[in-house]
Amino acid sequence: MSNAMDDDVYGASSVANALRTLVYLGGRDTVRVTDVSEHLGVARSTAHRLLSTLRGHGFVEQVPDGRQYRLGPVLLGLAHGRAAVESRRRIGTRELVRIAHPHLERLRDAAAETSNLLQLDGPDAVFLDGVEGPHPLRVAPRTGDRLPAYTTAGGKAQLAELPWETVRMTYAQGLEQLTPTTVRDLAALEQDLAACRGRGYALNIDESVTDVHGIGVGVRDRDGVCVAAVTISAPSTRLGATRAADLAPLLHTTAEAIGAEL
């Protein structure tokens, strides 16, 4: 019968093998079970169980033929997140706002609606800056506010850049409902983010505040890392699907102009 010390040693050995496998995978496009078995010096059955466990948690994935493995969405998401963190350290929030603000003003003038700059912070989107629109009936900027990212156009534009497994783990406890039209579950969110990627922009249709709509596009730095998003917000009476599509090129131009200075 094994004692606690034996169990601990066995567990530590398993963790060590898992870490060695991930490092091994990191230096290769794909590997086979036999490759991992030979690298670790363990039986093929042990290597297969190890890869299956890592696959179950999203750390590795099988290529379409099912015989080879590669790094999975969780690690790719961490790599993306690390790149975004490094970019933020290099640029800084104040510098990002300083660079973006005149572009937000031009976006406001061109669209005649409120413009905003948002950035992901864990599961939330933070409104870093905003420029108020000119109409008597308008959406006020929410600078300093924090909302669940999936309830905002800017948050969804950034979530759409992440591997799905990373998004799924971020909201593993479920989605808070801010309005009756807030996306209700992970399956619906996955479909929504896929639609964002397909059309090139994200939409917020009454999802954070009733009768307020938004459209958002990600901002990428010079390395191609999505570090923020720009949005246009307006009353629902002025921002339907057709106008959102018309405004999308303006948002892309603004996002690209900001990114070129980062």
Side-chain angles (χ1 to χ4, degrees):
M1 179 181 295
S2 64
N3 56 33
M5 183 175 294
D6 292 334
D7 292 339
D8 183 66
V9 170
Y10 177 78
S13 176
S14 297
V15 171
N17 280 338
L19 293 174
R20 290 176 61 197
T21 299
L22 294 175
V23 171
Y24 183 63
L25 270 164
R28 292 158 180 79
D29 291 333
T30 62
V31 300
R32 300 168 300 169
V33 172
T34 52
D35 297 327
V36 174
S37 172
E38 292 172 1
H39 178 69
L40 297 179
V42 298
R44 288 186 77 258
S45 58
T46 301
H48 185 268
R49 284 197 302 272
L50 178 60
L51 287 166
S52 295
T53 299
L54 292 171
R55 177 173 176 262
H57 291 281
F59 290 101
V60 305
E61 65 181 8
Q62 285 180 285
V63 297
D65 68 8
R67 299 176 183 175
Q68 295 181 313
Y69 295 80
R70 60 192 174 198
L71 289 179
V74 169
L75 290 178
L76 295 176
L78 290 174
H80 182 282
R82 180 175 178 80
V85 168
E86 291 301 322
S87 180
R88 291 180 193 179
R89 287 175 178 169
R90 176 173 59 81
I91 300 167
T93 300
R94 289 185 181 180
E95 182 68 1
L96 174 60
V97 171
R98 183 192 69 78
I99 290 170
H101 190 80
H103 295 286
L104 293 180
E105 291 181 327
R106 285 190 282 274
L107 178 61
R108 182 273 316 274
D109 293 342
E113 302 290 358
T114 298
S115 62
N116 300 283
L117 177 73
L118 294 85
Q119 191 171 64
L120 278 184
D121 183 18
D124 298 330
V126 180
F127 288 75
L128 298 182
D129 195 17
V131 181
E132 195 164 28
H135 294 285
L137 177 62
R138 60 189 180 271
V139 177
R142 302 190 61 168
T143 304
D145 284 358
R146 173 188 294 267
L147 291 173
Y150 56 85
T151 69
T152 69
K156 287 196 281 188
Q158 294 172 84
L159 291 176
E161 297 283 330
L162 300 175
W164 170 245
E165 184 65 20
T166 301
V167 177
R168 186 185 68 79
M169 292 182 68
T170 299
Y171 301 110
Q173 302 304 312
L175 308 181
E176 179 184 359
Q177 302 295 296
L178 299 188
T179 74
T181 57
T182 301
V183 62
R184 292 190 172 276
D185 54 43
L186 288 172
L189 179 59
E190 185 175 16
Q191 292 179 351
D192 195 342
L193 297 183
C196 293
R197 290 188 290 271
R199 63 176 170 253
Y201 56 88
L203 291 173
N204 166 12
I205 306 298
D206 298 325
E207 294 173 65
S208 55
V209 178
T210 300
D211 294 329
V212 171
H213 292 180
I215 173 175
V217 168
V219 175
R220 296 178 178 82
D221 66 11
R222 295 181 184 181
D223 296 323
V225 178
C226 185
V227 296
V230 288
T231 70
I232 292 170
S233 300
S236 58
T237 53
R238 289 203 306 270
L239 188 54
T242 299
R243 189 169 184 227
D246 291 340
L247 291 173
L250 273 177
L251 280 162
H252 281 289
T253 298
T254 301
E256 290 166 6
I258 295 172
E261 295 186 44
L262 298 179

